[in-house]
Amino acid sequence: MARFIDELKRTHDCGALRAADIGKEVVLFGWVQNRRDHGSIVFVDLRDREGITQIVFDPETSPDAHRIADQLRSEWVIGIRGVVRSRGEQFSKKEGKLVSAANPNLATGEIEVSVVEATIFNKAETPPFPIEDSLETREEVRLQYRYLDLRRGPLQRALRLRHRVNQAARSYLSSQGCLEIETPFLVKYTPGGARNFLVPARLHPGKFYALAESPQLFKQLFMVAGFEKYFQIVRCFRDEDLRLDRQPEFTQIDIELSFVNQDDVFTLVEGLVFAIWEAAGFDLAAKYPERRFPRMRYDEAMRKYGNDKPDLRFDMQHVDLTDLVVEHGGGGVPFWQPIAEKFRSGAYRRDLPAEIVKALVVPASANLSRTETDKLEQLAKSMGAAGLARAKVGPDGLWTQSPLSKSITPELCRAINAATGAREGDLLLFQFGRASLVHTVLANLRVHLGKKLGLIPEVGHGGRFEFAWVVDPPLFEYDEEHKRWAAAHHAFTRPHDEHIDLIEQDPGRVLCYRYNLCLNG
């Protein structure tokens, strides 16, 4: 073994050799991916983090190496010295002739290495699951043997991608004059925001540190200190319930800038996103040739999609029917009449509606069964809705299969069909009541249906990246519990200059410079 590491240094990784290397003597180190004994000759696929190379043990070439090959098993770690040669030809029973023995599925598939010397660095027991890209082993087992799971191609590629992304972010932000400055993890507990993890202080019994939920205060101190442009690829800790986009600890690219406006921030971040995607092997310039992302006002995002991070890979927009319902006095629908009356009496404001009526059209091509629509209602109820009103558009434009059809006036029915673009066979889903709940329920139903109808994949990007800035949100939101206006995000968000006078007079109309860069929802 000492000869291999001390004298024989690795010359290539297992993904590097090509036909141009035929005839070269090489030294490779790696793991045994699999072993095939073809009588006197043993073939081994040798794997390292860069790829796989087929190595050949022939007793006529090296009896000593061949004896070692007889012992090899999956995941043993070995080193070999050998000569690169072509894979040559083999007889194909299917084609009845000699064909190339090259493996087109491997980058090294044109060559193999004839082994003249070998050593075993480390033996291994039979792994509890195969080290393969596709695996059905339970996650609990994979986590128990994480060091083995991390040998698999998908996880190796993911961590290598993470490395490239970090390097791209550092390179781009540094090129823009940003300084990478570290901030403390152990900090003083600050109320508000996310819950902190607490760490006992050994030297001060009864006292605790908090793990930083973000570098917010520190980066603002950097700005006061005159550093002007800061960034950090930083670990954050939040003691919150788990969600797909929330983990107890996570890494974020943190940025703070001085002497800039909103457009300057957008330009910097758009450049950063392009740099990261290019490092990951994706070309965003084909879709965004000006290297800028579209912008959408917050009120438009809420009206069309029900949230401020819409998935723009598919349509299925919401339609706000509140004005129509008010115009028709509720149109005979008992649930809608009180809402219409409150708007007409002035109890509700059109510009800041406390209650709304919205619809979502499911195309006839979806062909949802009664059972499937009942499941949609259960999903709505799980989000706090009282139910899910629905109606199917009949041949004459009137509604069927719905209690609404018994009370709604033909005029409002046709007006809703026209507003939503609903046609024969389409299914209309309705939500009405408190605005925030209506938005939330229909937003989640839209995404659920998008996946169910195959408009977007269950997970992942599906090869599409739809970016958008959501801008101009309200600075305040109404707190129903305490019956007062409160900061929607935090009180340090800058209001629009022209709205400063409204902070005391009409806080619900104050817009601010807060923004989300959305990607696929």
Side-chain angles (χ1 to χ4, degrees):
M1 182 190 302
R3 168 170 160 75
F4 266 87
I5 292 185
D6 293 340
E7 299 176 28
L8 297 177
K9 301 293 185 182
R10 174 192 265 170
T11 60
H12 298 78
D13 59 63
C14 290
L17 297 173
R18 301 292 187 270
D21 298 304
I22 289 173
K24 291 182 180 178
E25 182 175 275
V26 298
V27 176
L28 304 179
F29 300 158
W31 286 258
V32 175
Q33 178 71 20
N34 57 59
R35 174 184 178 277
R36 302 177 299 280
D37 192 336
H38 289 198
S40 61
I41 298 178
V42 176
F43 293 87
V44 168
D45 288 339
L46 189 65
R47 183 194 77 242
D48 65 12
R49 72 180 195 181
E50 303 295 339
I52 290 176
T53 296
Q54 178 172 284
I55 59 176
V56 183
F57 295 84
D58 188 333
E60 295 185 4
T61 302
S62 173
D64 290 341
H66 189 266
R67 278 192 290 273
I68 289 176
D70 284 339
Q71 306 174 48
L72 298 182
R73 295 296 181 267
S74 175
E75 296 307 302
W76 285 28
V77 190
I78 66 172
I80 64 100
R81 177 174 67 88
V83 178
V84 182
R85 69 186 188 190
S86 170
R87 289 207 184 190
E89 296 181 320
Q90 62 185 8
F91 184 78
S92 169
K93 292 183 179 180
K94 181 178 180 180
E95 299 188 28
K97 62 179 182 179
L98 289 173
V99 297
S100 171
N103 182 350
N105 298 319
L106 283 181
T108 60
E110 292 182 288
I111 60 89
E112 60 190 13
V113 177
S114 177
V115 179
V116 297
E117 187 176 356
T119 190
I120 296 172
F121 291 135
N122 206 354
K123 299 180 181 180
E125 297 179 3
T126 302
F129 51 81
I131 311 302
E132 298 174 348
D133 285 7
S134 297
L135 201 62
E136 295 183 357
T137 303
R138 289 184 300 112
E139 187 176 43
E140 293 82 359
V141 177
R142 289 169 48 203
L143 289 173
Q144 181 181 354
Y145 298 96
R146 189 62 166 170
Y147 55 91
L148 296 178
D149 196 34
L150 285 170
R151 295 181 186 176
R152 297 172 49 241
L155 279 76
Q156 294 250 331
R157 289 190 289 272
L159 292 179
R160 290 162 67 91
L161 172 61
R162 187 185 182 97
H163 165 74
R164 294 198 303 273
V165 165
N166 286 347
Q167 294 298 98
R170 284 192 168 94
S171 176
Y172 171 78
L173 290 171
S174 297
S175 75
Q176 300 302 304
C178 298
L179 302 177
E180 183 174 11
I181 310 175
E182 292 184 340
T183 54
F185 282 158
L186 293 175
V187 299
K188 181 179 179 180
Y189 170 74
T190 54
R195 287 187 294 270
N196 293 99
F197 286 105
L198 300 180
V199 181
R202 180 179 59 85
L203 298 178
H204 303 280
K207 295 187 177 182
F208 298 81
Y209 296 103
L211 292 180
E213 62 183 82
S214 83
Q216 182 75 30
L217 296 177
F218 296 108
K219 66 182 182 180
Q220 289 172 342
L221 290 176
F222 292 152
M223 298 304 102
V224 175
F227 287 98
E228 297 189 13
K229 294 182 177 182
Y230 142 93
F231 83 95
Q232 186 181 183
I233 301 175
V234 61
R235 183 75 62 157
C236 299
F237 306 87
R238 296 181 181 178
D239 187 9
E240 294 184 328
D241 295 336
L242 294 177
R243 300 203 306 265
L244 285 177
D245 59 349
R246 284 286 186 214
Q247 311 297 327
E249 56 176 308
F250 59 92
T251 302
Q252 68 183 31
I253 302 175
D254 200 60
I255 301 172
E256 190 76 14
L257 308 169
S258 295
F259 309 120
V260 295
N261 61 19
Q262 178 172 275
D263 289 337
D264 297 325
V265 175
F266 286 5
T267 298
L268 179 79
V269 173
E270 286 163 344
L272 173 62
V273 170
F274 268 83
I276 288 174
W277 258 248
E278 287 168 6
F282 296 102
D283 179 19
L284 291 180
K287 182 172 181 60
Y288 305 103
E290 297 181 1
R291 303 178 75 86
R292 305 301 300 269
F293 299 136
R295 302 183 188 185
M296 178 185 299
R297 287 175 56 88
Y298 176 90
D299 58 354
E300 179 186 357
M302 297 302 292
R303 183 175 69 255
K304 292 181 176 179
Y305 305 103
N307 64 25
D308 60 355
K309 52 178 183 178
D311 192 331
L312 302 177
R313 289 175 295 174
F314 70 109
D315 199 15
M316 289 190 73
Q317 295 180 6
H318 304 174
V319 180
D320 193 317
L321 303 174
T322 310
D323 285 347
L324 266 183
V325 169
V326 173
E327 179 185 333
H328 287 261
V333 179
F335 297 113
W336 295 350
Q337 287 174 337
I339 297 175
E341 192 56 41
K342 288 177 181 177
F343 279 100
R344 286 183 163 184
S345 68
Y348 284 170
R349 293 171 54 173
R350 295 288 186 102
D351 60 340
L352 295 173
E355 293 187 289
I356 58 175
V357 181
K358 290 181 86 175
L360 177 66
V361 179
V362 182
S365 58
N367 197 28
L368 296 182
S369 67
R370 175 63 182 271
T371 300
E372 288 172 318
T373 56
D374 287 344
K375 288 181 179 179
L376 292 179
E377 181 167 18
Q378 291 303 314
L379 178 59
K381 288 181 176 179
S382 72
M383 293 179 272
L388 181 64
R390 50 195 186 268
K392 192 170 187 178
V393 181
D396 55 358
L398 298 179
W399 296 348
T400 64
Q401 302 178 16
S402 171
L404 295 176
S405 62
K406 299 176 182 178
S407 57
I408 192 167
T409 62
E411 292 79 14
L412 180 55
C413 178
R414 293 191 180 94
I416 289 176
N417 290 348
T420 59
R423 300 179 179 179
E424 180 184 352
D426 289 348
L427 181 67
L428 286 162
L429 304 179
F430 297 97
Q431 277 293 297
F432 47 89
R434 181 162 50 89
S436 59
L437 181 60
V438 170
H439 287 316
T440 297
V441 172
L442 279 190
N444 289 326
L445 281 177
R446 174 180 177 267
V447 173
H448 174 82
L449 286 165
K451 294 177 179 179
K452 182 177 181 62
L453 301 181
L455 303 176
I456 53 174
E458 283 287 338
V459 294
H461 52 76
R464 292 186 61 192
F465 300 103
E466 295 289 341
F467 288 90
W469 290 103
V470 175
V471 300
D472 300 335
L475 179 59
F476 301 102
E477 60 186 17
Y478 193 71
D479 186 336
E480 293 286 349
E481 182 180 352
H482 297 97
K483 304 300 179 184
R484 62 183 178 87
W485 292 95
H489 186 58
H490 58 66
F492 306 107
T493 307
R494 176 190 167 192
H496 286 192
D497 294 346
E498 64 273 20
H499 290 173
I500 290 177
D501 291 341
L502 296 174
I503 292 177
E504 296 292 339
Q505 304 168 11
D506 198 356
R509 290 175 55 199
V510 178
L511 303 183
C512 65
Y513 290 102
R514 193 178 79 243
Y515 32 82
N516 285 335
L517 178 57
C518 307
L519 168 61
N520 298 352

